Structures are given as C-alpha cells and as structure tokens.
Amino acid sequence: MIYKPQARKDAFLVLYQWDMKGEPIESLIEEYISANNISLQDRRRYMRKLVRTFMEHSVEIDKLIAEYSEKWDIDRVGFIERNILRIAIAELLYISAKNPKITISDYIKLAQKYAGKNCARFVNGILGRVLREKLGIQD
C-alpha cells in the first residue's frame, strides 16, 4: 500500500483546487492526473475514491469539522487545513482505514509540509477527536 500516502496528497491537492476554483471536481481530477503524469493505477484509483467519498459526504464532514473546531464556521478554517481534514475524515469514517493512526500520521505530515507546525497541531487535534469520539480508538 505504498501508493496510499501519495494518493492522500493527490486527493488533498485536487480538493484544494476545487475549493479555490469551484470548477467541476471530475475535470480537476483528470487535469491533475494528466499534469502530474500519475501512471500507477492503484494510486489514481485511491485518489479518486478519497475525493468522491468526500463529495458524497461533504455536508456531514463539514459539519463535523465545524463542530470539532470549537464551533468555527467551516469557511473560517484555512483552505489547507479544511481540505486536509475533509479528505482525512472521509477516509477515516467512510473508507475505514486499516490503521487509522498511520493514516492520521500521513495527514499530519501533509499539514506540516504545506502549512507548518501550527496547522499540523490543529489537524492533529481534530483528527484525534475523530479517532476517539467517532472510531472509539484512544491515541
């Protein structure tokens, strides 16, 4: 499953573009695959699955982010944090990651890479709550 961390990053970047541009998600997925020459079929498939899963459950996921963000409206959460959380929560709640702690670790690394330590702490806090309260796993 070595392709999963890269597919998570791909899904985050596609969702980030969608959030910024507002263009149709399917065309953004295909543009991204083409522009980044993603040839590994498993990576493409998993990235699509992550994005589509978020799109199917976007209302519930955004409500959960707002609730766990101390009642902040979803629009007040930064673009990077918001879209990392969207993909992560979609994977954790609706795809049932085999090892949720490794999954969360991948998303924290993305947050740190794209937005720094404060963003990573915020993402870690929200995903920790998801782990405990929604999945019943203690960190």
Side-chain angles (χ1 to χ4, degrees), residues 102-116:
I102 290 174
T103 300
I104 289 172
S105 177
D106 284 348
Y107 288 110
I108 292 167
K109 288 175 189 171
L110 279 176
Q112 187 158 0
K113 177 179 179 178
Y114 286 96

Side-chain angles (χ1 to χ4, degrees), residues 21-79:
K21 296 179 178 181
E23 295 177 9
I25 196 73
E26 290 299 326
S27 63
L28 288 171
I29 290 171
E30 297 312 314
E31 265 179 42
Y32 183 88
I33 289 170
S34 178
N36 292 281
N37 298 315
I38 300 174
S39 58
L40 185 62
Q41 185 175 1
D42 287 338
R43 179 177 161 191
R44 289 192 316 260
R45 185 180 311 122
Y46 201 69
M47 185 249 311
R48 284 184 179 111
K49 183 177 185 175
L50 289 168
V51 172
R52 289 175 180 155
T53 299
F54 165 72
M55 298 305 286
E56 289 173 25
H57 301 281
S58 62
V59 172
E60 302 96 330
I61 291 170
D62 281 353
K63 281 181 184 175
L64 185 65
I65 294 169
E67 176 187 339
Y68 283 9
S69 300
E70 302 301 321
K71 306 296 182 198
W72 276 33
D73 183 66
I74 190 70
D75 294 330
R76 289 186 62 200
V77 177
F79 282 99

Side-chain angles (χ1 to χ4, degrees), residues 76-133:
R76 289 186 62 200
V77 177
F79 282 99
I80 292 171
E81 298 95 320
R82 176 170 58 225
N83 289 295
I84 288 173
L85 287 169
R86 284 170 164 171
I87 292 296
I89 293 170
E91 183 171 8
L92 291 167
L93 296 184
Y94 300 103
I95 297 176
S96 302
K98 288 181 182 174
N99 191 331
K101 291 182 181 182
I102 290 174
T103 300
I104 289 172
S105 177
D106 284 348
Y107 288 110
I108 292 167
K109 288 175 189 171
L110 279 176
Q112 187 158 0
K113 177 179 179 178
Y114 286 96
K117 288 182 181 180
N118 286 336
C119 172
R121 281 194 288 268
F122 177 74
V123 167
N124 186 35
I126 301 293
L127 295 180
R129 279 189 74 185
V130 170
L131 196 65
R132 287 186 306 277
E133 296 177 18

